[in-house]
Amino acid sequence: MKAQVNIPLKNVKVDDVFWNGIQKLVRDVVVPYQEDIMEDKIPGAEKSGAIENFRIAAGQAEGEHFGMVFQDSDLAKWLEAVAYSLSIKPNPELRKKADEIIDLIRKAQEPDGYINTYFSLSHPERKWQSLHECHELYCSGHMIEAAVAYYKATGDDGFLKIMRRNADLICSLFGNEGGKRRGVPGHQEIELALLLLYDVTGEKSYLDTAKYFIDDRGIEPSYFEEEIKTRGWHQWADKEDRIYAQTHKPVREQDKAVGHSVRAVYMYTAMAALAAETDDRELLDACDKLWENITHKQMYITGGIGSTVHGEAFSVDYDLPNAITYSETCASIAMCFFARRMLEIRPNGQYADVMERMLYNTILASMQLDGKQFFYVNPLEVIPGISGVVQTHKHALPQRPQWYACACCPPNLSRMLLSIGEYAWGEKTGDNSNKGEFEKKSKEFIFAHMFLGGSAKFTVAGGVTINCESGYPYEGKIRYSISTKQKTAYFHFAVHMPGWCKNAEYMVNGTKVSAAVKDGYAYFERNWEDGDVLEISLDLPVLRIYSNLAVSGNAGLVCLQKGPIVYCFEEADNPAPLAALRLPRESEITEYKISEGVLKGISALSAEGFIETGSGELYTEHPPVTKPTPLKAIPYHTWGNREVGEMRVWIRK
Amino acid sequence: MKAQVNIPLKNVKVDDVFWNGIQKLVRDVVVPYQEDIMEDKIPGAEKSGAIENFRIAAGQAEGEHFGMVFQDSDLAKWLEAVAYSLSIKPNPELRKKADEIIDLIRKAQEPDGYINTYFSLSHPERKWQSLHECHELYCSGHMIEAAVAYYKATGDDGFLKIMRRNADLICSLFGNEGGKRRGVPGHQEIELALLLLYDVTGEKSYLDTAKYFIDDRGIEPSYFEEEIKTRGWHQWADKEDRIYAQTHKPVREQDKAVGHSVRAVYMYTAMAALAAETDDRELLDACDKLWENITHKQMYITGGIGSTVHGEAFSVDYDLPNAITYSETCASIAMCFFARRMLEIRPNGQYADVMERMLYNTILASMQLDGKQFFYVNPLEVIPGISGVVQTHKHALPQRPQWYACACCPPNLSRMLLSIGEYAWGEKTGDNSNKGEFEKKSKEFIFAHMFLGGSAKFTVAGGVTINCESGYPYEGKIRYSISTKQKTAYFHFAVHMPGWCKNAEYMVNGTKVSAAVKDGYAYFERNWEDGDVLEISLDLPVLRIYSNLAVSGNAGLVCLQKGPIVYCFEEADNPAPLAALRLPRESEITEYKISEGVLKGISALSAEGFIETGSGELYTEHPPVTKPTPLKAIPYHTWGNREVGEMRVWIRK
């Protein structure tokens, strides 16, 4: 039931005022640094061993396995980021390094296709016995994702072949058919990876095994509980929490997002991909309910999801505390994966809106502007002395830690930020069978899901290239130049109109036109000619956003948003305590560019507000005295780049 | 440096409109029920074994020790409550039962004075080896408190003698002198108990050993760390957290309340008692700093202290979350002990104010109106579905649990509520040497710390009895009738003027008089004649209270208080979500009596307020619509007696 497919990264060129610098930073700073970390070359950084483990397993070095049972996944995520980096910009030296590592993986692979340095080196007798905690399937999944990306980026199928042998092993072991064994992964990931592998190979067993892993989850008797009974050893915890592991009921019956948020959303991503691939309406229904639950009841304004530190997990509806949130970076990344899969089924603006909310806020906020420090937890309120200090707030740090202290998350960010090109564009060619839910007059569509500067090549209508120029997200003018291979090309050009945008104007070749807006997309159906220009002007006002009153901690508060950018208040710009500040409804909000310091050039907001000053008593019958004060807000994704101080997204109205 | 001493319970008769019913409930319902629990007579309740353990240790039954290493303390607290109950109202049957149990304790006592059924029965070879976790000193402390109370109530010194032998053993074992061993208790309690024992016996070794336990705490090398090294076994945790255990620095240098709140405040109580007894200014300085820190930076408006569930502990300054607070009932009880000791040193209204804040709010709120269910954790905001459910709020229940599920805390409440008479009155006779800090013209004083209906007998000026009649805390008229043994009695009558009271009028024998008000006490110095009447009229308006803005979650909120009573809003009376309600500053607040249901007769508040209604979206640019709505508030101590619903103390202004 795919209504459109995204354009592969190799056909997209990102050239964007906002994103160029970020991608360059990841390519030139983060990816090389991560390589050094995994080669244990950074003095003072925690040992990784991720590459050395493969050298040992490949017989090229002596020693023992170092690190976690899932240490291999660090390398996999890095290789995936490398693939995206090579897609964006060739780099022979990096390519050579990656090929050497892939060669190690080949040599470390066992004759039956098995790859996992922990078990190969430390416990070969214990393979596949603790799917609950040992994450062999998780590591394979990430390595498969890397291989698929590497194949797409380079055209070289060497790595892909290695991982196909690994996937073949998994498919031969797990399933409901005769001779196979039951098993579901403790950390979901293999499902979405097998579906990606199916996508590039067409090998049906990958699709079938992904479906098996999805459908055997939550079925009685619980696989994990059976596994624990038979296993005479354990790695960490043996106690299964069904909610935490999303095994509390069959996946198709799940309607509220629960448990470990990254695991959950990786699974929802696979569910949506499988539903699209197999026209599985029942599975799509479950995806719809889970999407609705997250985005309507369990998501922060900044795109954070998974609000509780306990199990890095979803909580219950409307439990969205600002200061003690978890909002793991990887969970917001996972949500982009899920959104992208839903978009393939149904071009509906809500999915693209959520992608933007994630990308421009929590995901970007997780990285220091210099690319050298990272947040795993993304709070919406920080009070130094409490945040990161008291036990309830221990996880919600006021400053990004030195990133090398935990090498497992930055590469997830790297692969996300280097692959945004793949999220921006889609097409539906006439060749696609007409299974989509959504009406269409013509069979050929081009979709712009995000306003991403640069160009993309499409196969519709005999071949089309579209170039996008914009100052988005800070400016609302977008200019699309259309090149057609043939003289004219008849297709619908569907451009995502963000949910926050109430008015837009459209011009084709300088003449104002109207568009049919449906489900958050403006459709321009036209016999496009080579050289046509579509210009879009979005109204891009600063909005005051109010929270549902069921979120107790947000009542009486307001948040500022302009386009997809959510703003926050920092002590560096405002008097503390920030809880004493008020932004009245009638106060005009002005934009300005920060003129100095590390935030130089960032577009910020200012307004006249009030500050309340109390008596100093803990409790008093004397109401606080209110005085005018200027207020300043900066984009949430730039917080924490100056001296440590208070920060809050929601401010009193 | 005692400026006054409280009047013993046997000389106080409580006859108070507010407290009579509560004391009757505790006497007639709670104390007998607790006995049945400890005799394992309640079907369905968790087994206690507290009395059976003593029967076994006394050789009167067969079996093994049951329960915690500190199971004996349940019985001790119950015996203390029985003593207070007997002080208030003789009860031969209860007395007989208590005497039988005391006889078991006598028989369970080992020849050297040792009493602890866990170690006597289960591990005699491990006595005194784990002071950190095994709480032998804690159990002894509670049993000593019980014995002192029983002696004061009955005049029978049998139990006292038993516990003196136990105390003598402790004094012979622990100390810095030659032949003694080092040791400090994991759970402070023995210190305050030894000081009480010193108070009734005059035996200096009790004073000295209490001082030893206080002064050896936080000294290097850490006793607990030394203990862990030498001990080859452990009961629970072996890891010492110095902050949690208040051993992070010498007690005299501690200036912020930290760690387990009950343990901390039991220790501060002992520190204040020791300072008073020994004129120890340095120790008093520490008490002053700790008192100031708690009451100015770590105390809820309801009197809750110890804001974090992690370690049932104090957090950092201004970390006072309403929904995820701990605010253990026992911690507020401990704070009354501390306040009472500080009052002995210095008749300053802040101590009596805090006692009232604790008693009329958190302490009373911990008990269901029927006396059958109890809170250990006293939240200031409850949202069903989140409170008591999600991991961060698991401890903050929306309903009092069936009290027998945890038999350890209700008896602490029982002993507190049955002994309030002992907190209400004090005197300073001419015989006391003049060591106090505070100026006086005459040497004889009577203090009324609380407006407690009933009478008290004093020794000043040849013998005085004062009778108090009042409708306090709901009415502000208090009438004191003075009876003197001699024709006249020259003394200062010092009546606590609560901090919230801005205006009061005084009449003696119907004629308006003025009073010198100093440090929260109104002083009436006079040659009182038998039959004189002092009438006090307190202004008792409903106050709007504002929180220090450093408490982030209280900014923009207001709380209602009348006299010592803090009010709260419940879903039973108001539309949910309560976070959507607003009480404007100009709205008039009316008192009314609840006319039906379980709260019938309770004095409540009503006012015109507003409710905001949102769009139903999680986030929206449409501000919520504001409509008028009547608001109703009930005393915080009566919350949770109707159907489960939202509750909050602080409401938007």
Side-chain angles (χ1 to χ4, degrees):
Chain A
M1 58 175 93
K2 283 186 187 171
Q4 58 96 27
V5 291
N6 281 28
I7 301 305
L9 202 53
K10 64 178 181 190
N11 294 338
V12 177
K13 182 174 160 46
V14 178
D15 184 8
D16 183 279
V17 174
F18 186 86
W19 289 105
N20 282 354
I22 293 162
Q23 289 204 332
K24 187 170 187 307
L25 187 69
V26 174
R27 238 171 40 221
D28 296 350
V29 176
V30 182
V31 168
Y33 201 87
Q34 176 76 1
E35 180 190 327
D36 287 346
I37 285 285
M38 287 189 305
E39 284 282 24
D40 301 313
K41 285 181 179 169
I42 307 292
E46 290 195 11
K47 184 176 171 182
S48 162
I51 296 176
E52 187 70 5
N53 287 338
F54 274 96
R55 276 203 194 94
I56 299 166
Q60 299 194 349
E62 294 289 318
E64 291 184 352
H65 180 273
F66 180 84
M68 300 290 202
V69 290
F70 48 83
Q71 206 78 351
D72 293 356
S73 66
D74 289 356
L75 187 61
K77 284 187 254 177
W78 180 80
L79 281 169
E80 188 181 342
V82 167
Y84 299 137
S85 179
L86 296 175
S87 278
I88 295 171
K89 190 180 171 194
N91 179 337
E93 201 185 336
L94 184 63
R95 172 79 194 266
K96 185 163 169 284
K97 177 73 189 183
D99 284 341
E100 284 169 13
I101 289 172
I102 290 164
D103 199 54
L104 289 179
I105 296 170
R106 179 183 294 110
K107 286 175 178 146
Q109 185 167 38
E110 300 194 15
D112 64 356
Y114 186 87
I115 300 175
N116 187 295
T117 63
Y118 174 79
F119 285 99
S120 289
L121 295 175
S122 297
H123 285 290
E125 78 288 4
R126 289 183 174 173
K127 289 174 191 165
W128 306 122
Q129 289 172 24
S130 175
L131 303 189
H132 185 216
E133 286 291 343
C134 287
H135 299 347
E136 288 156 291
L137 292 170
Y138 170 79
C139 289
S140 283
H142 272 301
M143 208 59 96
I144 289 168
E145 280 203 272
V148 168
Y150 205 76
Y151 168 65
K152 287 184 181 175
T154 63
D156 179 345
D157 68 355
F159 192 12
L160 190 71
K161 280 181 178 160
I162 297 168
M163 292 319 298
R164 283 194 68 163
R165 291 187 56 222
N166 184 252
D168 292 341
L169 171 67
I170 290 167
C171 294
S172 73
L173 286 172
F174 296 99
N176 279 325
E177 303 109 274
K180 294 188 181 179
R181 51 168 291 190
R182 282 189 72 197
V184 291
H187 194 313
Q188 295 95 318
E189 157 68 25
I190 186 69
E191 304 90 335
L192 71 84
L194 286 173
L195 289 165
L196 286 170
L197 193 58
Y198 169 72
D199 199 45
V200 294
T201 63
E203 168 54 50
K204 192 160 171 300
S205 64
Y206 304 148
L207 179 73
D208 294 342
T209 305
K211 183 173 186 308
Y212 162 74
F213 283 133
I214 288 170
D215 281 337
D216 206 29
R217 200 172 198 90
I219 300 295
E220 294 299 331
S222 157
Y223 169 72
F224 291 144
E225 286 167 25
E226 298 294 301
E227 179 183 276
I228 287 164
K229 281 182 214 157
T230 58
R231 180 166 22 112
W233 57 279
H234 65 89
Q235 186 68 20
W236 295 295
D238 257 347
K239 188 182 164 291
E240 195 218 358
D241 177 336
R242 290 180 172 217
I243 295 281
Y244 172 78
Q246 296 91 30
T247 60
H248 56 299
K249 49 171 111 169
V251 167
R252 287 161 190 275
E253 294 171 21
Q254 297 187 19
D255 54 5
K256 278 181 189 270
V258 297
H260 188 278
S261 60
V262 177
R263 300 180 188 199
V265 185
Y266 280 2
M267 179 174 80
Y268 307 156
T269 301
M271 287 162 65
L274 181 64
E277 199 59 54
T278 60
D279 281 346
D280 190 331
R281 299 268 158 184
E282 189 186 50
L283 208 50
L284 178 60
D285 277 352
C287 291
D288 284 339
K289 285 175 188 159
L290 292 162
W291 176 273
E292 164 101 5
N293 177 254
I294 295 172
T295 58
H296 285 62
K297 294 179 178 171
Q298 297 207 66
M299 181 180 72
Y300 287 91
I301 186 90
T302 51
I305 58 169
S307 67
T308 180
V309 61
H310 296 281
E312 310 180 312
F314 286 106
S315 180
V316 299
D317 294 351
Y318 302 119
D319 180 31
L320 294 166
N322 291 316
I324 62 168
T325 182
Y326 203 68
S327 291
E328 184 180 345
T329 305
C330 290
S332 294
I333 291 172
M335 198 64 186
C336 288
F337 302 165
F338 186 22
R340 180 183 155 182
R341 289 300 191 177
M342 293 302 282
L343 261 183
E344 285 185 343
I345 297 171
R346 198 187 284 139
N348 185 308
Q350 66 173 316
Y351 306 120
D353 284 341
V354 164
M355 268 178 3
E356 287 210 326
R357 190 181 291 288
M358 302 290 151
L359 281 169
Y360 285 103
N361 300 292
T362 288
I363 291 175
L364 268 190
S366 73
M367 184 166 70
Q368 194 87 349
L369 290 174
D370 64 6
K372 292 188 174 160
Q373 291 175 289
F374 297 86
F375 277 131
Y376 300 95
V377 169
N378 295 279
L380 283 79
E381 180 184 359
V382 156
I383 301 178
I386 294 178
S387 301
V389 176
V390 309
Q391 199 61 46
T392 46
H393 295 62
K394 209 98 179 181
H395 58 287
L397 305 175
Q399 269 185 300
R400 293 171 187 83
Q402 294 290 325
W403 78 293
Y404 44 80
C406 304
C408 66
C409 186
N412 213 356
L413 183 70
S414 301
R415 66 177 183 141
M416 178 78 242
L417 295 177
L418 292 178
S419 63
I420 51 163
E422 217 171 38
Y423 293 75
W425 302 95
E427 67 179 343
K428 177 169 177 58
T429 62
D431 297 335
N432 283 336
S433 56
N434 181 4
K435 295 177 195 159
E437 311 184 324
F438 116 73
E439 293 179 319
K440 44 205 169 301
K441 287 199 237 162
S442 129
K443 289 191 170 177
E444 301 215 298
F445 291 79
I446 285 176
F447 292 92
H449 303 305
M450 302 203 305
F451 303 113
L452 185 67
S455 62
K457 288 183 199 162
F458 304 86
T459 60
V460 298
V464 173
T465 298
I466 296 183
N467 189 63
C468 173
E469 292 169 82
S470 92
Y472 193 81
Y474 290 109
E475 289 166 23
K477 293 213 183 300
I478 298 106
R479 186 176 193 276
Y480 292 106
S481 314
I482 289 144
S483 312
T484 58
K485 272 201 183 157
Q486 297 167 2
K487 190 165 178 285
T488 64
Y490 193 92
F491 64 91
H492 300 248
F493 186 20
V495 181
H496 173 226
M497 289 292 114
W500 47 260
C501 177
K502 294 293 167 279
N503 280 300
E505 290 194 351
Y506 319 106
M507 289 203 293
V508 173
N509 301 329
T511 304
K512 202 169 158 182
V513 298
S514 64
V517 177
K518 180 176 155 62
D519 292 341
Y521 281 78
Y523 286 85
F524 303 91
E525 180 180 2
R526 195 177 172 95
N527 199 22
W528 297 92
E529 293 185 20
D530 190 43
D532 276 356
V533 172
L534 169 66
E535 286 169 292
I536 296 179
S537 293
L538 305 172
D539 266 12
L540 198 57
V542 177
L543 299 175
R544 284 171 162 81
I545 304 290
Y546 304 89
S547 168
N548 192 304
L549 289 153
V551 183
S552 164
N554 288 350
L557 307 182
V558 63
C559 158
L560 298 179
Q561 184 176 336
K562 185 196 166 203
I565 303 280
V566 171
Y567 288 76
C568 70
F569 297 82
E570 279 200 314
E571 194 175 338
D573 303 312
N574 300 281
L578 301 184
L581 303 181
R582 281 170 43 207
L583 176 63
R585 195 185 290 180
E586 57 281 5
S587 181
E588 194 187 346
I589 295 161
T590 313
E591 287 187 74
Y592 72 102
K593 291 266 183 212
I594 295 173
S595 59
E596 56 184 12
V598 69
L599 299 189
K600 186 174 175 177
I602 298 282
S603 183
L605 305 177
S606 70
E608 277 305 305
F610 294 106
I611 182 162
E612 292 183 348
T613 309
S615 64
E617 295 291 304
L618 186 52
Y619 306 111
T620 173
E621 67 201 80
H622 302 295
V625 176
T626 299
K627 282 187 299 194
T629 191
L631 302 179
K632 289 181 180 175
I634 59 166
Y636 175 72
H637 72 79
T638 67
W639 85 272
N641 278 281
R642 295 173 293 177
E643 63 269 40
V644 173
E646 281 193 42
M647 183 278 288
R648 61 191 292 150
V649 169
W650 294 94
I651 191 169
R652 289 168 56 201
K653 62 185 189 188
Chain B
M1 59 176 93
K2 282 186 186 170
Q4 57 97 26
V5 291
N6 281 26
I7 300 305
L9 203 54
K10 64 177 182 191
N11 292 339
V12 177
K13 181 173 160 49
V14 178
D15 183 8
D16 183 280
V17 173
F18 186 86
W19 289 104
N20 282 354
I22 292 161
Q23 289 205 332
K24 186 171 189 307
L25 187 69
V26 175
R27 238 173 39 224
D28 296 350
V29 176
V30 182
V31 168
Y33 201 89
Q34 175 76 359
E35 180 190 329
D36 287 347
I37 285 285
M38 286 189 304
E39 284 283 24
D40 301 313
K41 284 181 179 170
I42 306 292
E46 289 194 12
K47 185 176 171 182
S48 161
I51 296 176
E52 188 70 4
N53 286 339
F54 273 97
R55 275 204 193 91
I56 299 167
Q60 298 195 349
E62 293 289 317
E64 293 184 351
H65 180 272
F66 180 84
M68 300 290 201
V69 290
F70 49 83
Q71 205 79 350
D72 294 355
S73 66
D74 289 357
L75 187 63
K77 284 187 253 180
W78 180 79
L79 281 168
E80 188 181 341
V82 166
Y84 298 138
S85 179
L86 295 176
S87 278
I88 294 170
K89 190 180 171 191
N91 178 337
E93 201 184 338
L94 184 64
R95 171 77 194 266
K96 184 162 170 284
K97 177 71 187 184
D99 284 340
E100 284 169 13
I101 289 172
I102 291 164
D103 199 53
L104 290 179
I105 296 170
R106 179 182 294 110
K107 287 174 178 146
Q109 186 167 38
E110 300 194 16
D112 64 355
Y114 186 88
I115 301 176
N116 186 295
T117 63
Y118 174 80
F119 285 99
S120 288
L121 296 174
S122 298
H123 284 291
E125 79 287 5
R126 289 182 175 174
K127 289 174 192 165
W128 307 121
Q129 290 173 21
S130 175
L131 303 188
H132 184 216
E133 285 292 344
C134 288
H135 298 348
E136 289 155 291
L137 292 170
Y138 170 79
C139 289
S140 283
H142 273 300
M143 208 59 97
I144 290 167
E145 279 203 272
V148 169
Y150 205 76
Y151 168 66
K152 288 184 181 174
T154 63
D156 179 345
D157 68 355
F159 192 12
L160 191 71
K161 281 181 178 163
I162 297 168
M163 293 318 300
R164 282 194 68 164
R165 292 186 55 222
N166 183 253
D168 291 342
L169 171 66
I170 290 167
C171 294
S172 73
L173 286 172
F174 297 99
N176 278 325
E177 302 108 275
K180 293 188 183 181
R181 51 169 289 191
R182 283 189 72 198
V184 293
H187 193 313
Q188 297 94 319
E189 156 69 23
I190 187 69
E191 303 90 334
L192 72 83
L194 287 173
L195 289 165
L196 286 170
L197 194 59
Y198 169 72
D199 198 44
V200 295
T201 63
E203 169 54 50
K204 192 160 171 296
S205 63
Y206 304 147
L207 180 73
D208 293 343
T209 306
K211 182 171 186 307
Y212 163 73
F213 284 132
I214 288 170
D215 280 336
D216 206 29
R217 199 172 198 90
I219 300 296
E220 294 301 331
S222 157
Y223 169 71
F224 292 145
E225 287 166 24
E226 298 294 300
E227 180 184 276
I228 287 163
K229 282 182 213 158
T230 58
R231 178 165 25 111
W233 57 278
H234 64 90
Q235 187 68 21
W236 295 295
D238 257 346
K239 187 181 166 292
E240 194 218 357
D241 177 335
R242 291 180 172 214
I243 296 282
Y244 172 78
Q246 294 92 31
T247 60
H248 55 301
K249 48 171 113 168
V251 167
R252 288 162 191 274
E253 294 171 21
Q254 297 187 18
D255 53 6
K256 279 180 189 269
V258 297
H260 188 280
S261 59
V262 177
R263 301 180 188 199
V265 185
Y266 280 2
M267 179 173 81
Y268 307 156
T269 301
M271 287 161 66
L274 182 64
E277 200 58 53
T278 60
D279 281 346
D280 190 331
R281 299 268 156 184
E282 189 186 50
L283 207 50
L284 177 59
D285 277 352
C287 291
D288 283 339
K289 286 175 188 159
L290 292 162
W291 176 273
E292 165 101 6
N293 177 253
I294 295 172
T295 59
H296 285 63
K297 294 179 178 169
Q298 297 208 65
M299 181 180 73
Y300 288 92
I301 186 91
T302 52
I305 58 169
S307 68
T308 180
V309 61
H310 296 281
E312 309 181 312
F314 286 104
S315 181
V316 299
D317 293 352
Y318 302 118
D319 180 31
L320 295 166
N322 291 314
I324 61 168
T325 182
Y326 203 68
S327 291
E328 184 180 345
T329 306
C330 291
S332 294
I333 291 172
M335 198 64 186
C336 287
F337 302 164
F338 186 22
R340 180 183 156 182
R341 289 299 191 177
M342 293 301 282
L343 261 183
E344 285 185 345
I345 297 171
R346 196 187 285 140
N348 185 308
Q350 65 172 317
Y351 307 120
D353 284 340
V354 164
M355 267 176 9
E356 286 209 328
R357 190 181 290 288
M358 302 291 151
L359 280 168
Y360 286 104
N361 301 292
T362 288
I363 291 176
L364 267 189
S366 73
M367 184 166 70
Q368 194 88 350
L369 289 174
D370 64 6
K372 293 188 172 160
Q373 292 175 288
F374 297 85
F375 278 131
Y376 299 95
V377 169
N378 295 278
L380 283 79
E381 180 184 359
V382 156
I383 301 178
I386 294 178
S387 300
V389 176
V390 308
Q391 200 61 46
T392 46
H393 294 62
K394 208 96 178 182
H395 58 287
L397 304 175
Q399 270 185 301
R400 293 170 188 84
Q402 295 290 324
W403 79 292
Y404 43 80
C406 305
C408 66
C409 186
N412 213 355
L413 184 70
S414 301
R415 68 177 182 140
M416 178 77 240
L417 295 177
L418 292 177
S419 63
I420 51 162
E422 218 170 36
Y423 293 75
W425 301 97
E427 68 179 343
K428 177 167 177 56
T429 62
D431 297 336
N432 282 335
S433 57
N434 183 4
K435 297 176 194 160
E437 312 184 324
F438 113 73
E439 293 180 319
K440 42 208 171 302
K441 285 200 240 165
S442 127
K443 288 189 169 178
E444 301 214 299
F445 291 79
I446 286 177
F447 292 93
H449 302 304
M450 302 203 306
F451 303 112
L452 184 67
S455 61
K457 288 183 200 162
F458 305 87
T459 58
V460 297
V464 173
T465 298
I466 296 184
N467 189 63
C468 174
E469 292 169 82
S470 93
Y472 194 81
Y474 290 109
E475 290 166 22
K477 291 213 183 302
I478 298 104
R479 185 178 194 276
Y480 292 105
S481 314
I482 290 143
S483 310
T484 56
K485 273 201 185 157
Q486 295 167 2
K487 189 163 180 287
T488 65
Y490 193 93
F491 64 92
H492 301 249
F493 186 20
V495 181
H496 173 227
M497 290 291 113
W500 48 260
C501 177
K502 294 291 167 277
N503 279 300
E505 289 194 353
Y506 319 106
M507 289 201 294
V508 172
N509 301 330
T511 304
K512 201 166 159 183
V513 297
S514 63
V517 178
K518 180 177 156 60
D519 293 341
Y521 281 77
Y523 286 86
F524 302 92
E525 179 180 1
R526 195 176 171 95
N527 201 20
W528 295 93
E529 294 186 19
D530 190 43
D532 276 355
V533 171
L534 169 65
E535 287 170 291
I536 296 180
S537 292
L538 305 172
D539 267 12
L540 198 58
V542 178
L543 298 176
R544 285 171 162 80
I545 304 291
Y546 305 89
S547 168
N548 192 305
L549 290 153
V551 183
S552 164
N554 289 350
L557 307 182
V558 63
C559 158
L560 297 180
Q561 182 176 337
K562 186 196 167 205
I565 303 280
V566 171
Y567 288 77
C568 69
F569 297 82
E570 279 200 314
E571 194 175 339
D573 303 312
N574 300 282
L578 300 183
L581 303 181
R582 281 171 41 206
L583 176 63
R585 195 185 292 181
E586 56 282 7
S587 182
E588 194 187 345
I589 295 161
T590 314
E591 287 187 73
Y592 72 102
K593 290 269 182 208
I594 295 174
S595 59
E596 56 185 10
V598 69
L599 299 189
K600 187 173 175 178
I602 298 282
S603 183
L605 304 177
S606 70
E608 278 305 306
F610 294 105
I611 182 162
E612 292 183 348
T613 309
S615 64
E617 295 292 305
L618 186 52
Y619 305 110
T620 174
E621 68 202 78
H622 302 295
V625 175
T626 300
K627 282 186 300 194
T629 190
L631 302 179
K632 289 181 178 175
I634 59 167
Y636 175 72
H637 71 79
T638 67
W639 86 272
N641 279 280
R642 295 173 293 178
E643 63 270 40
V644 173
E646 281 193 42
M647 182 279 288
R648 61 191 291 149
V649 168
W650 294 95
I651 191 168
R652 289 167 56 202
K653 63 184 188 188

